[in-house]
Amino acid sequence: MLADLRDRFAAVRADLGLTLDYPAEALAEAERVAAQPPPMPERDETHLPFITLDPPGSMDLDQAMHLERGGNGYRVRYAIADVPAFVRLGGALDAVTRERGQTVYCPDLRVPLHPEVLSEGAGSLLPDAVRPAFVWELRLDAEGVLGSSEVYRAMVRSVQRLAYDEVQAAIDAGSDDERFVLLREIGELRIERERVRGGASLPMPEQQIVERPDGGFTIEFRPPVPAEEWNAQISLLTGMAAASMMLEAGVGVLRTMPAPAAGAVAQYRRVARALGASWPQSMPYGEFIRSLDRTDPHHLALIHEASGLFRGAGYTAFDGDLPAQREHAAVAAPYAHVTAPLRRLVDRFGLMVCEAVCRGDEVPDAVRAALPDLAAHMRTSDQRARSADRACADATEAAVLVGREGELFDAVIVDRTEKGVVVQLVDLPVLTRSRGSGVELGEHVSVRLVRADVAAGALEFVIAGQGGSGS
């Protein structure tokens, strides 16, 4: 079974054209620049004890932070890996990264945007290594409101690589480590600013494929810890600062998403009312979604239904006239991707735009020339990454359930489509379609497994009863 599953992962990558191999010229360029980097920034901030915060085991470390109090507020320094220092515009490595678009994560391996000699070596903000970075300096008042921002190139050093669960455990145990105290304070303040802005995030249960000690794989829902959200708020803050710089300069590339249509929100209100959820007329949809409880079957169905309000995200490049669509509706502000250049193509160009603007220089012609094509590159790579993620998850779900054909499982109806209903199993982190009708959103049902096919990455369920009486 394990061999079948690994074969399926490899087949998914082959179907999508995902490969670990780089063109010889691009790989040689990466190895050459890693061994003999170009001139590094003169500004030295290695005295600041930056830390990184990532999933455990991560080696492609894009961001490091240093937080401190400043006057009546806070001073955030957010160092981002200086990928442009290693990737020459117009070179072979530049060309292949434009084709790849982003790092794609599969259960058994990842297909990196950049060769590992850069993404896990010379370009990564690894602990105790001196690295070039774009340092964002962000000053916040006591309420967490951004007062000023700038970005510059400097040499930095991370002193410790931390994982989300590790930091959360320390905070929950009452740690007085000022780094963690400040992360929590600033994170909570920024979450409140998001609420005030009318921002929205979708608390969808995150399905995660986990490799077991025996080399096999299983699937689980991973509940995010608060430290992860606090860290994400620092990244969001930086992206909002970058977008403001770009709009003021009249050049850049934004991450945009239109506001949901009034009809879509009205329909969502009707679904919420039908499921018995309390939603005051004056409450914005983002705040309502934030109040939902993933352990309540009706609320879980509403979380899945809310995905229809988060559509149309893309990238909008501009040079001269400002775009009509400037905001990201879920952020409730203009926003740009600039914090993950090791793993995402567009961030490299956003960083170069903002750094030039802050220096008072013209954005380089080669950067301007690349902007119009970035949206297409990222759209293609986003589709590829989503397809890989879904296909690998489907195969793993099938592997977990092989041999259990004919069994009944408790499930909750979380969506309806023209092809049937979507169910989430109660005792297994499996989200899949099922044949059947005459059921309502949020309803408990029993579903019978008819087929589990790892090679095809396919599951087939049929509703066997209402009320949930599975084994």
Side-chain angles (χ1 to χ4, degrees):
M1 182 58 62
L2 177 57
D4 291 343
L5 192 53
R6 289 187 181 275
D7 286 346
R8 178 58 183 159
F9 295 157
V12 167
R13 288 191 290 273
D15 290 344
L16 294 171
L18 295 167
T19 177
L20 295 176
D21 297 327
Y22 290 82
E25 188 179 357
L27 184 58
E29 184 181 321
E31 292 173 342
R32 186 168 55 250
V33 76
Q36 296 180 324
M40 293 288 105
E42 292 183 3
R43 187 161 179 169
D44 186 344
E45 297 203 340
T46 56
H47 62 285
L48 294 172
F50 283 90
I51 60 171
T52 60
L53 184 54
D54 293 273
S58 295
M59 294 291 289
D60 50 346
L61 307 182
D62 287 288
Q63 313 111 7
M65 70 176 73
H66 180 265
L67 311 176
E68 63 181 332
R69 302 184 189 279
N72 294 323
Y74 305 90
R75 185 181 187 182
V76 175
R77 291 187 184 91
Y78 204 41
I80 308 300
D82 190 347
V83 177
F86 298 95
V87 181
R88 179 175 59 86
L89 289 171
L93 186 56
D94 180 32
V96 74
T97 57
R98 296 193 201 202
E99 291 175 4
R100 292 191 173 218
Q102 63 186 284
T103 296
V104 178
Y105 294 88
C106 297
D108 54 339
L109 55 82
R110 64 185 187 87
V111 182
L113 174 60
H114 301 90
E116 289 184 357
V117 69
L118 293 182
S119 62
E120 296 190 0
S124 179
L125 303 182
L126 297 167
D128 300 320
V130 176
R131 292 286 187 261
F134 289 84
V135 179
W136 290 84
E137 186 165 331
L138 310 165
R139 293 184 180 269
L140 312 178
D141 69 12
E143 302 300 318
V145 175
L146 179 62
S148 66
S149 61
E150 64 172 321
V151 60
Y152 50 84
R153 277 177 150 136
M155 301 303 291
V156 302
R157 175 169 34 217
S158 166
V159 299
Q160 191 174 9
R161 176 174 53 188
L162 296 165
Y164 300 125
D165 290 346
E166 178 184 3
V167 171
Q168 191 63 52
I171 290 172
D172 292 345
S175 171
D176 61 357
D177 188 319
E178 184 72 353
R179 301 172 303 175
F180 304 161
V181 171
L182 284 169
L183 176 65
R184 181 175 188 168
E185 282 185 25
I186 295 170
E188 293 289 355
L189 287 170
R190 292 304 302 175
I191 290 171
E192 176 60 16
R193 300 325 306 167
E194 180 179 83
R195 189 194 68 78
V196 171
R197 289 195 314 271
S201 59
L202 190 59
M204 189 78 78
E206 182 183 348
Q207 196 179 45
Q208 178 174 272
I209 300 171
V210 179
E211 188 167 6
R212 300 193 307 261
D214 63 2
F217 297 89
T218 189
I219 199 158
E220 60 186 35
F221 282 137
R222 186 184 68 83
V225 297
E228 192 170 350
E229 173 62 12
W230 302 330
N231 183 65
Q233 287 294 331
I234 302 293
S235 182
L236 278 171
L237 170 67
T238 307
M240 292 165 65
S244 295
M245 288 180 187
M246 293 175 184
L247 289 169
E248 186 173 345
V251 59
V253 55
L254 305 176
R255 179 64 167 167
T256 56
M257 188 175 80
V265 177
Q267 171 61 20
Y268 188 55
R269 279 191 177 275
R270 287 192 288 271
V271 173
R273 187 162 53 249
L275 290 174
S278 175
W279 183 358
Q281 192 65 35
S282 60
M283 180 184 287
Y285 77 93
E287 191 165 345
F288 171 70
I289 293 171
R290 193 178 291 110
S291 73
L292 296 175
D293 178 2
R294 284 181 293 190
T295 65
D296 182 316
H298 286 182
H299 285 199
L300 184 61
L302 280 171
I303 289 169
H304 282 272
E305 284 294 295
S307 63
L309 304 179
F310 293 77
R311 289 180 177 160
Y315 293 91
T316 302
F318 59 100
D319 190 353
D321 293 337
L322 299 184
Q325 177 64 47
R326 304 174 196 176
E327 288 202 354
H328 190 293
V331 179
Y335 174 61
H337 276 160
V338 293
T339 62
L342 286 172
R343 292 170 282 171
R344 197 168 47 208
L345 171 70
V346 67
D347 302 50
R348 171 159 59 98
F349 292 90
L351 286 165
M352 288 189 283
V353 168
C354 290
E355 192 269 341
V357 167
C358 277
R359 265 191 296 114
D361 285 355
E362 286 294 319
V363 175
D365 290 341
V367 174
R368 289 181 185 268
L371 296 181
D373 294 329
L374 282 176
H377 289 315
M378 294 307 302
R379 182 168 57 251
T380 300
S381 69
D382 279 344
Q383 291 168 348
R384 203 161 44 222
R386 284 195 298 269
S387 295
D389 186 63
R390 187 63 257 167
C392 289
D394 287 345
T396 307
E397 289 177 345
V400 168
L401 288 166
V402 161
R404 302 186 67 176
E405 293 85 349
E407 288 188 33
L408 293 176
F409 297 85
D410 286 344
V412 176
I413 305 296
V414 296
D415 201 0
R416 288 175 293 203
T417 72
E418 65 278 1
K419 297 181 180 179
V421 296
V422 178
V423 299
Q424 183 170 304
L425 303 191
V426 172
D427 296 322
L428 288 171
V430 172
L431 181 70
T432 187
R433 289 191 177 90
S434 176
R435 290 187 280 116
S437 58
V439 290
E440 301 296 330
L441 284 178
E443 186 175 351
H444 273 285
V445 295
S446 292
V447 293
R448 187 183 306 279
L449 178 61
V450 177
R451 170 174 168 252
D453 186 334
V454 177
L459 289 173
E460 184 179 348
F461 282 92
V462 62
I463 293 175
Q466 293 168 256
S469 57
S471 59

